[in-house]
Amino acid sequence: MSTSDATQQPSPSGGWSEAMVTLAQAHVVPPTINALVQPSGVLYADGTYCQQGALWRRYRPISTEPAKPETAGPVLNGRWLWGGVLWAHFGHFLVESTARLWALAELHRPVDGIVFVPKRPDSDAGIRGFQQDFIHQIAPDLPIKLVTEPTQISELVVPGQGFGLGEIVTGTAKFRNAIHSKFARDIKPEGPDRIYLSRSKLGLGKGGLIGEEELEDRLTREGYEIFHPQDHSLDVQLARYKAARQVVAADGSALHLYAMVGRPDQKVAMILRRQSGANVQLVRNVQAFCKCDPLVINALRTEWLPMAKQRSSRMSFGELDHKIIGAALAEAGFISRDADWQAVTGRKRRMMLNQKGIRVDDNFVESPEFKQKRIRANRKRRRAERAARGETS
């Protein structure tokens, strides 16, 4: 049976919940298929599905009711907190695997640890260093258990989802309060006033920006430290994010972590790397957690899409127009007011594509949307030039 520590129930339109239910002799069932939507989650002792434990993304659950295990499986004694799905992807971990940790600030009795299931069905799955480090910043001494086979748990506290992708990217009030009051409290600000959060070392498989190295050179001359988050421990990342007065970033997962410790007095600029709704999620995340409006710079000259997946995605590369970026940063006070950045063209532009590993019409193709937009712009310019000369078409 279960007892409820709150009255609010999961919303059918997106999983929001600040409720907790406690299950005796709960069954935790990990996924058995590798897919976005997976049967996996928490069952009551009698096999009834605990919807409170589902992971929602936007307007649907991506963990769905699993079958009751035919055998009871191993038993995990004690009182445990349901953490949900443990993502290996850094960004999805930050937004979806942390979504129930708000309960640590609300529990009436302590728990013996946090239970997760892996996103990928793998009996050898383990807990990665950054996952351990993050949870250590909010629950320093709490063990983490990754369940890779159906397991019965003596007592399981199941909080509702307080964070995620979709409308819930702003977090519930209890989630934000828990992050602000408990997360990274012992990390002291350390680092320069100005930093750029770069993706330039991530390689072809991670997507990114064409012309980012040129952007870094120009920002360095403006006093920015070029910071590659993946080269540093989580503690160092958090210390840098707390210390910086001005943060410029390529849109990406690093901003989700920044949002957890950012403040209203800090200024943030986000440079788009693709045409995607994901950047809207990042903006809303920063706005809600940091209580500030980031400067969003769309300086995409075009977008390069992987040959095997010809649509805008996390693996595509946005090609930058540095003139647009410089003008926007100067106007907002991120760089010198008299900075006059020029776009990269001609041979240097072709070199940038080659250095990044973009082989046109071989491994990457140009986005048809951008190509058509450029064709239309060129036609409009030529018509205007002819009209200025008094010519007729």
Side-chain angles (χ1 to χ4, degrees):
M1 301 301 291
S2 70
T3 59
S4 177
D5 298 317
T7 58
Q8 184 179 349
Q9 295 302 310
S11 163
S13 63
W16 297 68
S17 176
E18 291 186 335
M20 284 188 279
V21 294
T22 302
L23 284 63
Q25 304 305 320
H27 297 278
V28 170
V29 184
T32 57
I33 62 170
N34 189 12
L36 176 61
V37 180
Q38 300 164 303
S40 174
V42 178
L43 304 176
Y44 289 91
D46 64 0
T48 303
Y49 183 47
C50 179
Q51 296 186 28
Q52 180 88 348
L55 172 61
W56 286 68
R57 183 179 290 181
R58 296 182 174 87
Y59 296 102
R60 64 169 178 165
I62 60 172
S63 57
T64 57
E65 181 175 354
K68 184 179 180 181
E70 294 182 1
T71 57
V75 174
L76 183 60
N77 292 315
R79 174 177 161 89
W80 292 75
L81 181 74
W82 171 241
V85 178
L86 193 67
W87 283 85
H89 182 281
F90 184 66
H92 285 288
F93 167 80
L94 290 176
V95 179
E96 296 181 309
S97 299
T98 67
R100 302 172 199 276
L101 299 182
W102 63 269
L104 295 170
E106 300 285 333
L107 292 171
H108 300 305
R109 291 191 292 121
V111 292
D112 297 311
I114 307 171
V115 170
F116 290 93
V117 294
K119 176 58 184 172
R120 295 183 182 274
D122 183 356
S123 59
D124 295 325
I127 299 166
R128 302 191 178 203
F130 74 84
Q131 298 163 337
Q132 180 77 59
D133 292 345
F134 183 97
I135 293 171
H136 176 81
Q137 289 298 334
I138 196 168
D141 302 315
L142 211 53
I144 305 168
K145 173 71 174 176
L146 189 62
V147 170
T148 58
E149 61 179 319
T151 300
Q152 188 173 350
I153 300 180
S154 301
E155 186 177 0
L156 185 66
V157 180
V158 182
Q161 182 176 340
F163 192 32
L165 292 175
E167 289 298 313
I168 202 174
V169 78
T170 58
T172 64
K174 286 188 176 182
F175 182 87
R176 294 194 305 272
N177 289 342
I179 291 296
H180 292 154
S181 65
K182 295 181 71 70
F183 181 67
R185 288 181 301 180
D186 296 330
I187 299 291
K188 304 301 182 187
E190 183 177 347
D193 282 347
R194 289 177 158 184
I195 59 171
Y196 172 69
L197 309 187
S198 173
R199 296 179 61 89
S200 64
K201 289 185 178 181
L202 294 182
L204 277 182
K206 300 291 186 179
L209 294 165
I210 305 298
E212 187 171 21
E213 291 83 356
E214 177 69 22
L215 172 63
E216 292 172 357
D217 289 344
R218 298 183 188 196
L219 286 172
T220 298
R221 292 195 289 272
E222 292 285 342
Y224 280 80
E225 176 186 90
I226 308 306
F227 188 71
H228 299 274
Q230 75 279 1
D231 290 346
H232 302 274
S233 69
L234 194 77
D235 288 11
V236 170
Q237 292 176 52
L238 293 168
R240 286 289 198 279
Y241 300 164
K242 286 187 174 186
R245 181 175 54 86
Q246 293 179 308
V247 178
V248 180
D251 82 72
S253 301
L255 281 171
H256 286 307
L257 182 62
Y258 168 81
M260 293 185 173
V261 294
R263 305 181 306 275
D265 61 289
Q266 294 170 295
K267 295 182 66 175
V268 184
M270 182 176 79
I271 299 172
L272 302 189
R273 62 185 173 94
R274 53 180 167 157
Q275 295 278 70
S276 169
N279 59 70
V280 177
Q281 296 281 294
L282 276 170
V283 170
R284 297 190 65 215
N285 182 197
V286 172
Q287 286 174 326
F289 281 68
C290 304
K291 302 301 181 187
C292 72
D293 290 320
L295 171 67
V296 179
I297 304 174
N298 185 347
L300 292 172
R301 179 187 183 276
T302 191
E303 189 171 352
W304 294 94
L305 314 177
M307 184 68 77
K309 191 176 184 180
Q310 295 184 27
R311 62 180 178 83
S312 182
S313 71
R314 62 183 178 85
M315 294 183 289
S316 56
F317 279 79
E319 184 178 339
L320 298 176
D321 185 326
H322 297 84
K323 184 176 181 65
I324 294 174
I325 296 172
L329 292 177
E331 183 178 357
F334 283 88
I335 62 176
S336 305
R337 292 285 182 180
D338 58 355
D340 184 21
W341 291 6
Q342 295 301 310
V344 176
T345 58
R347 183 171 177 271
K348 187 171 183 179
R349 173 179 174 264
R350 291 191 294 273
M351 285 179 57
M352 289 192 311
L353 287 167
N354 184 61
Q355 288 170 354
K356 189 64 72 173
I358 304 294
R359 299 188 302 276
V360 179
D361 296 329
D362 180 2
N363 61 347
F364 279 80
V365 296
E366 186 176 6
S367 162
E369 178 185 348
F370 278 95
K371 188 182 293 187
Q372 287 300 318
K373 187 184 300 183
R374 189 167 62 254
I375 290 171
R376 288 193 296 268
N378 287 337
R379 286 172 179 168
K380 184 177 180 180
R381 176 180 53 79
R382 287 194 294 268
R383 285 196 298 268
E385 290 173 351
R386 287 195 298 268
R389 294 193 298 267
E391 299 176 5
T392 58
S393 57

